[in-house]
Amino acid sequence: MARGEPLATGIKHFDKIILPFSKKGLESKVQHNIQTNATLINEAWCELFKNYNFKVGVSVDGPPELNSKRKDLHGFQTYFRILKGIEYLSDYNIPFSIIAVVSEDSLDSATEIYEFAQDTGCKSLCINIEEKEGVNLGGVKSTEKVKEFWRQLYVAWRDSPSVRVREFDRLFRRMDFICKNKETIKNEMLPLEVELIPTISSSGEVILLSPEFADISGDKNYNFSVGNILEEPLRLILERGIKSYYVQDFIKGVRQCREECPYYSVCGGGQASNKYFEHKNINTSETQYCRNTKMALTDAILELV
Ligand code: SF4
């Protein structure tokens, strides 16, 4: 994984990087996904996406007034170039999703964001409430306003459900499972949900739990790199990685979530990156992120269904 716009690598180099995955026997085992700001998409990129069956996600926050923070390296607005990229995807019949970052400024605009997603012809809308993460020290703080955002979005979706909303899909899957097993389910019986999510950085370092840990140095307690793929097989790195201090610390935090939090059955214990960036500690439970995206979302939906 390298940070930044993946298409900026250039199509020739990109094609060279993914070519090994098209070897016989591998194609059916590998799913390519790409998250892009879409500004560089043209016919050639669309051909490549089609050839390799890419799942495409476009980063756009909504109509122009909500998208003004997305600027290029020269400080110019990217909105109309994003739309052009989306047009190419549509012309080539390439299904795509939209990821919209919602900040304090756009919390009142759930309906506009949903209608914008419908207008683009995307298959699904993914909402990222702005988080405190890496160099971004802000993040949305008013959980009550976030709850109102989820309410508005749910009503817009319920009245015209032509676009899937990732957060609703996830929550409904969980709720469905709980409803079917409500006689027997207790938090302590639910599994500890720990996905290792191995991420490989551009220098070959293997990072576990959260791709956001790639290329950051951690601190005296946490060394996020558990090995280098250029030096040893992934299997060995994973066997060692799961015993690493920070992964074990994260598991302790998830255990605490399972013991104490009434939302565990719909959440599963949160993300390591949010715990680290908010508390500088992974062995912990509640974060602003989980209040906004798990608790507020669940409360809003339960009040409306
Ligand atoms: S909502 Fe927060 S405190 Fe509750 S299980 Fe999820 S991460 Fe843990």
Side-chain angles (χ1 to χ4, degrees), residues 143-187:
T143 302
E144 259 318 299
K145 281 175 88 180
V146 175
K147 190 170 154 190
E148 188 48 41
F149 172 88
W150 290 124
R151 268 200 212 106
Q152 246 196 53
L153 185 67
Y154 178 76
V155 170
W157 172 80
R158 186 190 59 191
D159 292 349
S160 173
S162 60
V163 170
R164 304 185 76 94
V165 177
R166 177 188 63 183
E167 286 63 36
F168 297 161
D169 279 350
R170 283 179 182 164
L171 183 63
F172 294 153
R173 268 200 303 275
R174 294 269 190 172
M175 285 177 163
D176 185 50
F177 174 78
I178 296 163
C179 288
K180 285 183 180 140
N181 298 281
K182 64 177 182 281
E183 303 305 326
T184 50
I185 253 182
K186 301 247 180 338
N187 258 13

Side-chain angles (χ1 to χ4, degrees), residues 80-247:
F80 290 103
R81 280 177 278 158
I82 296 174
L83 284 200
K84 185 71 198 156
I86 288 177
E87 218 176 288
Y88 276 118
L89 293 174
S90 304
D91 289 349
Y92 276 78
N93 271 329
I94 297 171
F96 63 95
S97 60
I98 276 180
I99 292 193
V101 175
V102 173
S103 65
E104 295 275 2
D105 300 337
S106 46
L107 280 178
D108 295 332
S109 307
T111 309
E112 287 87 337
I113 294 171
Y114 183 71
E115 287 173 352
F116 168 80
Q118 286 183 304
D119 290 344
T120 65
C122 70
K123 292 282 171 226
S124 68
L125 169 66
C126 314
I127 297 291
N128 284 353
I129 305 289
E130 194 181 14
E131 305 161 24
K132 180 178 177 182
E133 190 178 279
V135 290
N136 184 6
L137 302 176
V140 175
K141 303 214 168 56
S142 166
T143 302
E144 259 318 299
K145 281 175 88 180
V146 175
K147 190 170 154 190
E148 188 48 41
F149 172 88
W150 290 124
R151 268 200 212 106
Q152 246 196 53
L153 185 67
Y154 178 76
V155 170
W157 172 80
R158 186 190 59 191
D159 292 349
S160 173
S162 60
V163 170
R164 304 185 76 94
V165 177
R166 177 188 63 183
E167 286 63 36
F168 297 161
D169 279 350
R170 283 179 182 164
L171 183 63
F172 294 153
R173 268 200 303 275
R174 294 269 190 172
M175 285 177 163
D176 185 50
F177 174 78
I178 296 163
C179 288
K180 285 183 180 140
N181 298 281
K182 64 177 182 281
E183 303 305 326
T184 50
I185 253 182
K186 301 247 180 338
N187 258 13
E188 58 273 22
M189 295 159 100
L190 290 166
L192 278 179
E193 295 188 29
V194 179
E195 282 187 63
L196 286 182
I197 318 175
T199 299
I200 300 171
S201 77
S202 50
S203 56
E205 299 294 327
V206 179
I207 293 97
L208 303 179
L209 299 179
S210 289
E212 291 83 354
F213 292 150
D215 299 327
I216 67 161
S217 51
D219 57 26
K220 64 180 172 18
N221 291 325
Y222 299 124
N223 173 15
F224 295 123
S225 173
V226 290
N228 192 304
I229 197 76
L230 302 174
E231 291 162 12
E232 53 185 336
L234 185 60
R235 186 181 49 80
L236 286 185
I237 297 176
L238 293 182
E239 279 171 13
R240 188 175 62 244
I242 197 164
K243 297 180 198 138
S244 67
Y245 180 74
Y246 83 92
V247 172

